[in-house]
Amino acid sequence: MIRPYSLILCIATVMFTSCQNQKTISSANDVKQNDSTLLTLQTHLRAVGSNFSTDSVQLSFTVVNHADTVQRFCKWETPFEPFLGKYMDVIDEQGNEALFNGPMARRVMPPPAESYIQVQPHDSVSTVYNLAKNYTMKPGNYTVKYTGGGVSGLDTGNEIKIAISGK
């Protein structure tokens, strides 16, 4: 008589455990789907003008929302917080990285609500900033690219070529 109850108890335990596992897998898929909304935000970097000097390299950084809903991103590690953090790859023709001389910050996680910027459906937000404020720029040709990812969650976007003359 004890054996049938043991068998029923074993079967019930296995079924209960497998229901719990299915719920966990489903929750993981929900997180993946929520993360995929960031793919609807695209970054675009462009030079403002063409006459750059070692102390003035004006760039425009745009985030475009291709979704039908409002999207948001954290402005940390983006040009929307222009003088804080290293978020650009600045490489000269010889493959050397320009020296970053800007400030770095330690952050409290998760980012507070005021750290996010909302982008309306099928709209964009832009900012213009001076790359030379955070990097030691010498005369020459450079490739510049937003590194993306990190706290902002934005993609890396395009790269641009710039030529810097003397002061």
Side-chain angles (χ1 to χ4, degrees):
M1 195 76 167
I2 294 177
R3 283 194 184 260
Y5 288 113
S6 296
L7 182 60
I8 291 172
L9 185 58
C10 273
I11 292 172
T13 302
V14 168
M15 291 191 65
F16 178 73
T17 304
S18 87
C19 287
Q20 291 289 16
N21 287 342
Q22 285 180 343
K23 186 174 184 178
T24 303
I25 291 168
S26 175
S27 296
N29 287 340
D30 290 345
V31 170
K32 272 187 183 175
Q33 288 172 352
N34 290 339
D35 286 346
S36 70
T37 60
L38 290 176
L39 298 176
T40 58
L41 292 176
Q42 181 181 32
T43 63
H44 184 71
L45 186 64
R46 73 175 179 83
V48 177
S50 60
N51 295 324
F52 300 119
S53 66
T54 57
D55 60 352
S56 180
V57 180
Q58 298 293 317
L59 301 179
S60 172
F61 183 78
T62 303
V63 177
V64 181
N65 179 5
H66 295 288
D68 294 330
T69 58
V70 174
Q71 300 294 313
R72 69 183 193 143
F73 65 94
C74 184
K75 68 181 175 181
W76 294 355
E77 299 177 5
T78 74
F80 287 96
E81 198 174 49
F83 304 115
L84 195 56
K86 182 179 182 297
Y87 44 78
M88 292 287 175
D89 280 338
V90 183
I91 310 293
D92 68 14
E93 287 179 309
Q94 291 75 35
N96 301 314
E97 189 171 354
L99 177 65
F100 176 78
N101 57 22
M104 297 294 281
R106 289 189 176 247
R107 306 293 189 149
V108 175
M109 295 302 281
E114 63 270 9
S115 301
Y116 287 88
I117 296 175
Q118 288 192 342
V119 187
Q120 296 301 313
H122 305 288
D123 201 359
S124 63
V125 291
S126 294
T127 187
V128 174
Y129 69 102
N130 184 355
L131 185 69
K133 293 284 185 187
N134 282 2
Y135 293 86
T136 301
M137 307 300 290
K138 297 177 182 173
N141 296 318
Y142 292 86
T143 301
V144 181
K145 185 173 187 172
Y146 173 66
T147 56
V151 177
S152 74
L154 296 171
D155 71 342
T156 57
N158 64 310
E159 67 180 29
I160 60 170
K161 307 277 187 191
I162 59 171
I164 297 178
S165 59
K167 271 197 174 224

